[in-house]
Amino acid sequence: MKHKGIRQMPTEGAEPVVIPADLWQRPDMISALTKRDIGHVFRLIRQFAGCSQTRIGVAVGLSQGKVSEIMKGAVQVTSLEVFERVADGLHMPDPARMTLGLAPQRPSLQVTHQETGPPRDVDAHPPAKYLASLTGSSSRPVISGLRHVLAGHIQAEAIMGPPLLISAVKSQIPIVGQVCRVTRGADRAEALTFASELLEFCGWLHQDIGDFTRAMMWTNKALDYAMELGDQRTISYILMRKSLIAIESGDHGHGLGLANAAMSRADALTPRLRAVVLRTRAIAHAHLGEAADSAADSETALTEATAGLTQDENDCAPYCTPAYVAMETGATRLLLGQANSAIPVLESSRSQWSLTSQARDHALLLTRTATAYAMAGERDQACTVIEETIPRLQALRSSRVAGQLTTLRAHMRQWAADPRVKDLLTRLDITAESFSLPAPEPRGDQ
């Protein structure tokens, strides 16, 4: 029974939180999600959706007092479990969830079947029924639709890493292969272009979970399509990708040779493409201990990346900005044992880095910066960067970041007796455990 003049807190708190769809698209909301600043998210919801702290708390499973502390900035949310509760309770749309670093609730349709046997019938394996109906005349709308899907996968992968996307991407490969087989005339070039992009991306997904055998296999197939297409820029980019896979798998000499091949027609490339190939060649030189050559390539790569800021042409390397090249240059100096000279380069990249860009690469930059400070004996600076880094590692599943994290932990253990370092090492160990990556797939599916 309600009484006039008495505020019914349970009823008010139980009212659902209704957030206008356009609030998730506001620049300040996107910025808050990118920074994982839940306090700012709550303040925006209170301002634009009229939700009280009590209603927000009920929705996300937190007390009103805790919501108040978060909104004031007295408490920072760093737990993945709390991020998920907030996203679920506020009914975040998938783009907002992915910006926050969480998996979408409605992942792209995937083709699934029993690993131990063939599909039970045609309907259990949709592509089998669909492939037979594909003709050259239907290729353009198919490629157009898959382009939109691939763009979404690329954006999602930069935020949450590859494991949740590999099956979805691989399910499209038979469709694209059939399109390339049946398409002739002017549409064939479009089909070949998309096929090389999709397979190169599939190669990258496997590379970032540390499955270099399959990474090279898919990237080789991407190169086959690129060679048939005859586009030098695409060929050079994929040769660069093969170079990186070779380098990361330990075949540094072969990686250098592939990078040289990618630069063989440098005049045909855009500034950004030249920058990303030169960056790769610098990494190969660093692994081989060739410091002067690595430094020369890094310097030229920075010049090209700066020129790329004003280039008019699109290419495969929009991510290759001066800040990105600086991060990679810092990495080459760490490989060469030049921690003191790596620090200013990495800090320069850190100061330029856009918070709305590649979440994984930003985490990699911070982890490398902390490693550089640790290698240089700068304990307090390393700790400060680690404290900034840990919240950004929560949703990532990347072998590159995991490898750098292992190196960082090894260098920090020299101060394991220090209370602050001890606490950070414990938190890093817990984070590292969450980086468990899927095992390489059985070879039978090749």
Side-chain angles (χ1 to χ4, degrees), residues 148 173 195 263 376 381 440:
H148 288 291
I173 292 175
M263 280 295 287
Q381 289 88 336

Side-chain angles (χ1 to χ4, degrees), residues 152-434:
H153 285 158
I154 291 172
Q155 291 177 348
E157 190 276 333
I159 298 169
M160 65 185 186
L164 295 178
L165 297 172
I166 287 180
S167 294
V169 171
K170 287 179 65 176
S171 73
Q172 299 166 19
I173 292 175
I175 300 173
V176 174
Q178 179 66 5
V179 166
C180 289
R181 282 190 287 273
V182 301
T183 304
R184 301 290 182 270
D187 289 343
R188 184 166 180 78
E190 179 67 19
L192 292 171
T193 299
F194 180 74
S196 67
E197 292 172 359
L198 179 69
L199 287 163
E200 181 272 316
F201 181 60
C202 189
W204 161 250
L205 293 176
H206 285 85
Q207 178 186 345
D208 203 38
I209 63 169
D211 189 346
F212 301 121
T213 299
R214 270 184 180 70
M216 191 64 86
M217 178 190 77
W218 291 116
T219 309
N220 281 335
K221 293 183 178 182
L223 184 60
D224 289 343
Y225 285 118
M227 293 294 290
E228 182 182 349
L229 182 65
D231 180 78
Q232 184 59 46
R233 292 179 179 179
T234 304
I235 292 170
S236 290
Y237 186 78
I238 296 176
L239 284 170
M240 179 278 298
R241 292 285 304 110
K242 282 169 58 68
S243 172
L244 273 179
I245 296 167
I247 292 168
E248 290 188 17
S249 66
D251 196 349
H252 307 137
H254 184 45
L256 178 59
L258 288 167
N260 285 331
M263 280 295 287
S264 63
R265 288 286 309 279
D267 58 318
L269 308 182
T270 64
R272 280 196 305 247
L273 285 174
R274 287 193 291 269
V276 79
V277 176
L278 286 164
R279 173 271 332 225
T280 304
R281 197 165 71 180
I283 294 171
H285 281 306
H287 275 287
L288 293 167
E290 298 164 354
D293 289 332
S294 179
D297 278 343
S298 292
E299 183 176 351
T300 308
L302 181 59
T303 300
E304 294 285 6
T306 302
L309 293 175
T310 57
Q311 74 178 51
D312 296 326
E313 300 171 274
N314 292 326
D315 56 31
C316 301
Y319 57 86
C320 194
T321 62
Y324 180 86
V325 171
M327 175 185 72
E328 298 287 69
T329 299
T332 63
R333 295 186 181 182
L334 289 180
L335 287 171
L336 292 163
Q338 302 170 355
N340 286 316
S341 65
I343 289 171
V345 176
L346 291 167
E347 286 290 6
S348 173
S349 176
R350 191 176 165 201
S351 68
Q352 300 173 58
W353 201 270
S354 169
L355 291 177
T356 60
S357 63
Q358 311 269 342
R360 178 191 48 246
D361 285 340
H362 191 200
L364 187 60
L365 165 61
L366 292 172
T367 311
R368 286 172 173 170
T369 304
T371 302
Y373 278 122
M375 289 174 64
E378 301 286 350
R379 181 193 61 190
D380 292 342
Q381 289 88 336
C383 289
T384 299
V385 179
I386 291 172
E387 287 167 346
E388 180 184 349
T389 304
I390 289 175
R392 301 189 178 279
L393 299 173
Q394 301 295 330
L396 295 176
R397 299 294 183 273
S398 164
S399 66
R400 290 193 305 158
V401 178
Q404 192 64 55
L405 194 58
T406 298
T407 302
L408 171 60
R409 290 155 68 203
H411 284 290
M412 291 299 295
R413 292 196 190 282
Q414 64 183 302
W415 301 299
D418 179 85
R420 184 185 183 191
V421 174
K422 183 178 180 180
D423 175 66
L424 289 174
L425 282 171
T426 299
R427 293 169 65 188
L428 286 174
D429 289 343
I430 294 171
T431 301
E433 290 177 3
S434 74

Side-chain angles (χ1 to χ4, degrees), residues 46 48 79-80 86 123 141 147 158 180 206 215 230 302 341 412:
R46 184 173 187 179
F48 293 102
S79 166
L80 179 59
V86 169
D123 289 336
R147 272 199 180 282
C180 289
H206 285 85
L302 181 59
S341 65
M412 291 299 295

Side-chain angles (χ1 to χ4, degrees), residues 23-35 44 99 356:
L23 177 55
W24 299 112
Q25 301 168 14
R26 288 179 57 90
D28 45 357
M29 177 62 82
I30 293 173
S31 175
L33 292 170
T34 301
K35 297 175 182 178
L44 290 170
T99 302
T356 60

